[in-house]
Amino acid sequence: MSSLAVLHASQLVTLAGPKRPRVGPELSELGVIRDGGLLIRNGKVERAGPSHEVEKTVGDAKIVNARGRVVMPGFVDAHTHLVFAGNRLEDFERRSRGETYEQIAKAGGGIWSTVEKTRAASETNLLAQAKKHANWFLRCGTTTVEAKSGYGLTVEDELKILRVIRQLKEEVPLEIVPTFLGAHAIPREVSSDEYLDVVVTKMLPRVTAEKLADFCDVFCERGYFNIDQSRKILSVAKKLGLSLRGHVDQLTNSGGATLMAEMRATTADHLEQTDEQGIAALKKTNVQPVLVPGSVYALGSSRYPRAREMIEAGLAIVLATDFNPGSSPTPSMPMVLSLACTQMTMSPAEAITASTVNAAYSLNRGDAIGSLEPGKFGNFVIFDCEDYRELAYWFGLPQTHAVYVRGECVLKNNGDT
Ligand code: NIG
Ligand code: FE
């Protein structure tokens, strides 16, 4: 494998630090090296330091001049629903007229309408759509995503989605961590108890036997899965060896955060309605909150999760897009950074830590990605700006200049001058 040296970054944002997710004031410590350089050998970071020092050790490495741009780890998006068919333009238009997510779901839109389209799509067709989504992530500077199933809701359709995710991993440079979300909604054709039984006795054993997922997730919400049903699914998943994530307290506070703490989950996601009791529960077992402000924004709500209180409580906060066709149709981590800073009083530095190294730990990949330190993969992005704060400041503007995965350039912005 070839070697690569990137020199003269205005700021090399390394995120170097302790080998664990960052909390409190550590969230603001980005390990920035001015006029920084990076040496990658065999796909991994060998050195990160001042350009004049790295330059001395480049040997026969190919040299890329960053010309005063920002270089930082690729974003790690720890919550996406990457594989689905079609879109939800009807829902979008209804919402623009003031209807709520719950009203639209009752009227035939919502998750169910995407389930119908996804069931009807062939594996080949789903893969083609997923490839398009994967490319969108790379264009936004994301090099790793978590990807959930959840738009199949039968044994065969859930497995179909997870197989598409597995195939996608083979065919695109984006790194992908799969999550089983069979408990995303209750399908129309069966009762909730019958479906619970299918998830627990049919889906989970197949998913784990075929090693199709690292995590199990559940949508714990009024009208979807209640606390007891969610506990049942998560307990069985855990026994079968999966780590746990959960969509909790998104639309109502049902005690979902407390359940995730009780289950020793890796993450509790959404948390828009979580109160101080829920935050204290998460802290007790160090569950990582995954906050997804894109879905709050796209649903036209103003109830963002209490990020500041979570940081003050010492939680290792994560930011993600929640990319999906219904509540959060964006693959853009820079947009999420903007929302975190403008709506959740997070600083740009905190938002970057939450969307790189902390996100990596939330996917059990903290030893391999999320920061630019020796031994980790050379997954990084050159952004067309001089100061990392510009990523959250200029919003709606693509600033990606080039994207590298394991030291290979996988995307270059040719429109750039
Ligand atoms: O994370 N909350 C549940 N699931 C998704 C929405 C999925 C959809 O609307 O298709 C979410 O917001
Ligand atoms: Fe989600």
Side-chain angles (χ1 to χ4, degrees), residues 35-75:
D35 193 5
L38 198 56
L39 180 63
I40 313 281
R41 280 197 207 283
N42 299 323
K44 291 193 173 164
V45 177
E46 191 169 285
R47 288 197 69 168
S51 280
H52 65 269
E53 282 179 15
V54 172
E55 218 165 358
K56 288 180 202 150
T57 59
V58 293
D60 60 355
K62 177 175 182 250
I63 293 179
V64 171
N65 190 337
R67 295 187 196 284
R69 296 184 176 92
V70 166
V71 175
M72 58 172 263
F75 290 117

Side-chain angles (χ1 to χ4, degrees), residues 244-257:
L244 308 179
R245 319 178 85 75
H247 285 69
V248 292
D249 302 344
Q250 178 185 11
L251 307 171
T252 54
N253 181 352
S254 62

Side-chain angles (χ1 to χ4, degrees), residues 79 81 148 247 270 322 324:
H79 183 141
H81 305 249
K148 304 174 194 296
H247 285 69
H270 278 282
D322 192 12
N324 75 73

Side-chain angles (χ1 to χ4, degrees), residues 214-233:
D214 289 13
F215 289 91
C216 177
D217 194 339
V218 49
F219 187 18
C220 179
E221 183 62 62
R222 186 174 65 195
Y224 295 83
F225 296 86
N226 65 28
I227 290 281
D228 288 339
Q229 293 170 323
S230 302
R231 181 187 286 111
K232 172 84 189 157
I233 292 164

Side-chain angles (χ1 to χ4, degrees), residues 15 41 96 127 141 158 180 228 264 280 301 314 317 394-395 400:
L15 275 302
R41 280 197 207 283
S96 73
L127 181 64
E158 284 297 306
F180 168 63
D228 288 339
R264 303 278 196 280
S301 163
I317 198 166
W394 305 111
F395 70 95
T400 313

Side-chain angles (χ1 to χ4, degrees), residues 94-108:
R94 274 174 133 144
R95 256 200 324 277
S96 73
R97 293 197 295 261
E99 287 183 54
T100 66
Y101 186 75
E102 283 171 304
Q103 285 168 337
I104 294 166
K106 278 208 182 97

